[in-house]
């Protein structure tokens, strides 16, 4: 989660929503890390998780990430949760919960559904406060009127 | 849909699951087309819809596709349906229904949910038979034992 947290801070520094993700192999090797790049890539799907999983799969040379761990600083949205199932991620650890946009413990709760394609193990709330504070500060700064 | 269908046939010819997608601007201009590239890119998220929406946004130079039409030969899965919401796609036309993997008229029915991020207009069943036949032939050929 420390790697994901670092990627989140770097994303925030670039003006992106500060969410970061990292993928580790079954042996604990760091395979990929990424922060949000929605603005930089002109790509509404360039969420940290999706970028990290794509990079990890590219690195392994196969489109599946069985046994891998995805660590991410915010509860994945339905797009990223469903992508984690397509990638056959073994475990998802996330930090802050996202009651409005989350797709695992909130909204469609994709892995709780009968007929779910794949069900990773999920651990939420890992370093929750730190990740939530990062997001709160980012959005508070956005709403603040520019100084004269 | 003709463009999406052509992309689907080309994907099938490359050994990918034959699904194709195209994105058109509000004025009807073709912005992007793509077929599945999961195997070629080693990327379980490289579904036709996601590739076409990313390419269209890149072409427009902005991460949102307000007013655009996404045509796709198979009902989008939850990942692609949620991505279409992130991209703020105006209309989704799809051909074949996907009772097992679809996320719009099946499964989590993402756009019917209270609190959905965005709700594109959706038209399903456009040239349904043609798209379904393409998929059926592809999977039938996969299951056929190789000739001696």
């Amino acid at each position: 989660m420390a790697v994901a947290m670092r990627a989140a801070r770097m994303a925030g520094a670039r003006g992106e929503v500060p969410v970061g993700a990292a993928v580790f192999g079954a042996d604990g090797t760091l395979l990929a890390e990424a922060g949000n790049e929605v603005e930089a890539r002109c790509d509404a799907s360039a969420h940290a998780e999706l970028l990290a999983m794509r990079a990890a799969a590219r690195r392994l040379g196969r489109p599946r990430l069985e046994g891998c761990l995805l660590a991410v600083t915010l509860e994945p949205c339905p797009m990223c949760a469903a992508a984690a199932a397509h990638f056959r991620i073994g475990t998802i650890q996330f930090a802050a919960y996202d009651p409005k946009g989350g797709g695992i413990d909130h909204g469609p709760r994709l892995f709780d559904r009968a007929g779910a394609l794949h069900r990773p193990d999920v651990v939420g709330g890992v370093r929750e406060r730190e990740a939530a504070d990062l997001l709160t500060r980012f959005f508070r700064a956005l709403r603040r009127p520019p100084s004269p």
Side-chain angles (χ1 to χ4, degrees), chain A:
Chain A
M1 188 57 79
V3 180
M5 213 64 82
R6 179 179 65 194
R9 279 189 295 267
M10 288 168 63
R14 293 192 308 268
E16 303 273 357
V17 174
V19 177
V23 176
F24 298 88
D27 63 353
T29 312
L30 174 64
L31 295 174
E33 62 179 287
N36 252 330
E37 293 194 33
V38 167
E39 303 303 329
R41 292 184 186 232
C42 285
D43 176 357
S45 75
H47 288 191
E49 305 93 303
L50 206 40
L51 298 179
M53 291 189 287
R54 278 162 48 196
R58 213 161 42 230
R59 177 155 168 197
L60 291 179
R62 53 183 164 83
R64 305 278 180 272
L65 297 168
E66 283 98 347
C68 292
L69 167 78
L70 168 67
V72 52
T73 60
L74 183 65
E75 179 184 347
C77 74
M79 175 186 73
C80 292
H86 286 309
F87 278 107
R88 305 290 191 272
I89 282 281
T91 305
I92 299 177
Q93 271 187 11
F94 68 84
Y97 290 85
D98 187 355
K100 201 172 149 195
I104 296 180
D105 274 19
H106 297 92
R109 298 177 181 270
L110 289 178
F111 305 139
D112 294 346
R113 300 188 58 82
L117 176 68
H118 172 72
R119 285 190 181 82
D121 294 325
V122 176
V123 186
V126 181
R127 297 175 66 168
E128 176 182 3
R129 173 72 68 90
E130 187 180 347
D133 283 352
L134 194 59
L135 285 158
T136 305
R137 280 196 305 274
F138 178 80
F139 285 110
R140 197 179 290 149
L142 270 193
R143 281 192 301 265
R144 197 177 298 146
S147 42

